[in-house]
């Protein structure tokens, strides 16, 4: 296999690195705009174990979030990491749920220094949503485990004018991430019922040397 072919080739779940898992090809604009950013952060992670404090979602979706969120916004994220620090800087408060204990132990000391992050460890599936404070959120980021459960919770707790983002919406049924197609169905039905706009991003994300898809539900900038 030639070096170019090795770089470009996909996997059992995608045609090439430039296709998401449902077969959609990244646009030329996103390839040119965000591909180099993904390569840089991916190399930094592999070579230096350095991770930029950004949500690991579509770069274009990330830029839109930066325009939508305000210092008063309340964020709920399922799944934690570099995104937690980014949300802390851009919003008023963050509730972050994590269920992988080794990763929780890595992230916890970093977020402990932040005054606006409520970081919680979920020991089982039931706790993954039951630990979340019962309030309305301006952004609900679904990027962890049990995504169908998270979607059901999200549609009941989204503030007016808020956004729900389902990352990796091109994935199927998985023991860890849950039933992603069902999560998407729940969110699209909610959007139709409430008259909310939706958008899908087939794009690069930080450190990821292939494109992935995310589903945005809610207001756009």
């Amino acid at each position: 296999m030639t070096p170019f072919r090795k770089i470009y080739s996909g996997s059992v779940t995608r045609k090439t690195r430039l296709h998401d898992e449902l077969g959609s090809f990244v646009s030329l604009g996103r390839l040119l705009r965000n591909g180099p950013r993904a390569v840089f952060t991916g190399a930094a992670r592999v070579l230096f174990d350095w991770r930029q404090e950004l949500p690991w979602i579509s770069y274009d979706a990330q830029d839109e979030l930066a325009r939508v969120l305000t210092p008063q916004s309340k964020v709920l994220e399922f799944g934690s990491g570099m995104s937690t620090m980014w949300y802390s800087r851009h919003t008023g408060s963050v509730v972050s749920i994590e269920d992988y204990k080794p990763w929780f132990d890595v992230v916890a000391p970093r977020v402990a220094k932040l005054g606006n992050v409520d970081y919680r460890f979920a020991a089982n599936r039931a706790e993954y949503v039951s630990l979340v404070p019962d309030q309305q959120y301006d952004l609900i980021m679904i990027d962890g485990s049990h995504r169908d459960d998270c979607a059901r919770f999200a549609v009941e707790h989204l503030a007016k004018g808020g956004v729900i983002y389902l990352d990796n919406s091109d994935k199927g049924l998985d023991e860890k991430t849950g039933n992603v197609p069902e999560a998407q169905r729940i969110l699209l039905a909610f959007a139709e019922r409430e008259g909310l706009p939706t958008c899908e991003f087939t794009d690069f994300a930080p450190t990821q040397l292939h494109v992935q898809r995310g589903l945005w539900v809610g207001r756009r900038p």
Side-chain angles (χ1 to χ4, degrees), residues 57-111:
I57 64 170
S58 156
Y59 278 109
D60 281 4
Q62 183 187 119
D63 291 342
E64 291 204 13
L65 283 180
R67 293 191 289 271
V68 166
L69 297 173
T70 74
Q72 290 75 44
S73 296
K74 295 180 180 180
V75 173
L76 165 62
E77 64 165 349
F78 292 103
S80 65
M82 301 302 102
S83 57
T84 313
M85 275 66 82
W86 189 87
Y87 295 133
S88 174
R89 295 196 307 271
H90 286 79
T91 68
S93 63
V94 182
V95 175
S96 182
I97 306 297
E98 179 60 54
D99 66 343
Y100 183 52
K101 192 61 163 62
W103 183 239
F104 178 87
D105 291 340
V106 169
V107 175
R110 298 187 64 171
V111 301

Side-chain angles (χ1 to χ4, degrees), residues 101-131:
K101 192 61 163 62
W103 183 239
F104 178 87
D105 291 340
V106 169
V107 175
R110 298 187 64 171
V111 301
K113 302 174 184 177
L114 307 173
N116 62 345
V117 177
D118 181 357
Y119 194 38
R120 302 187 177 199
F121 175 71
N124 53 57
R125 179 169 182 167
E127 287 188 353
Y128 205 68
V129 293
S130 66
L131 282 178

Side-chain angles (χ1 to χ4, degrees), residues 9 15 32 44 46 71 83 93 108 125 153 157-158 162 175 217 219:
S9 63
K15 293 179 181 179
L32 297 177
V46 171
S83 57
S93 63
R125 179 169 182 167
F153 183 91
H157 293 83
L158 184 66
E175 182 178 352
V217 174
R219 76 181 183 93

Side-chain angles (χ1 to χ4, degrees), residues 6-209:
K6 187 173 182 180
I7 292 171
Y8 181 73
S9 63
S11 64
V12 295
T13 59
R14 65 183 72 244
K15 293 179 181 179
T16 73
R17 293 180 184 272
L18 303 184
H19 290 84
D20 65 30
E21 293 193 19
L22 293 178
S24 292
F25 192 80
V26 66
S27 69
L28 179 60
R30 284 177 176 156
L31 174 62
L32 297 177
R33 182 169 60 249
N34 299 329
R37 300 166 73 182
V39 170
F40 171 78
T41 55
R45 179 187 180 190
V46 171
L47 297 176
F48 306 108
D49 195 30
W50 178 78
R51 295 167 173 81
Q52 193 173 9
E53 291 184 356
L54 295 171
W56 288 7
I57 64 170
S58 156
Y59 278 109
D60 281 4
Q62 183 187 119
D63 291 342
E64 291 204 13
L65 283 180
R67 293 191 289 271
V68 166
L69 297 173
T70 74
Q72 290 75 44
S73 296
K74 295 180 180 180
V75 173
L76 165 62
E77 64 165 349
F78 292 103
S80 65
M82 301 302 102
S83 57
T84 313
M85 275 66 82
W86 189 87
Y87 295 133
S88 174
R89 295 196 307 271
H90 286 79
T91 68
S93 63
V94 182
V95 175
S96 182
I97 306 297
E98 179 60 54
D99 66 343
Y100 183 52
K101 192 61 163 62
W103 183 239
F104 178 87
D105 291 340
V106 169
V107 175
R110 298 187 64 171
V111 301
K113 302 174 184 177
L114 307 173
N116 62 345
V117 177
D118 181 357
Y119 194 38
R120 302 187 177 199
F121 175 71
N124 53 57
R125 179 169 182 167
E127 287 188 353
Y128 205 68
V129 293
S130 66
L131 282 178
V132 180
D134 186 13
Q135 61 185 29
Q136 302 297 104
Y137 297 91
D138 301 294
L139 168 65
I140 301 178
M141 176 60 60
I142 303 175
D143 194 16
S145 303
H146 319 302
R147 298 189 190 194
D148 46 330
D149 291 353
C150 297
R152 294 185 187 93
F153 183 91
V155 300
E156 298 293 334
H157 293 83
L158 184 66
K160 185 176 181 180
V163 173
I164 302 172
Y165 191 87
L166 172 64
D167 197 27
N168 310 116
S169 61
D170 51 333
K171 289 190 175 296
L173 177 62
D174 181 85
E175 182 178 352
K176 178 65 174 175
T177 56
N179 191 334
V180 176
E182 175 65 7
Q184 179 164 271
R185 186 198 66 76
I186 292 167
L187 295 180
L188 290 176
F190 169 70
E192 182 176 7
R193 186 168 65 248
E194 299 296 322
L196 299 175
T198 65
C199 179
E200 290 187 302
F201 294 84
T202 291
D203 193 7
F204 289 95
T207 78
Q208 306 300 301
L209 301 181

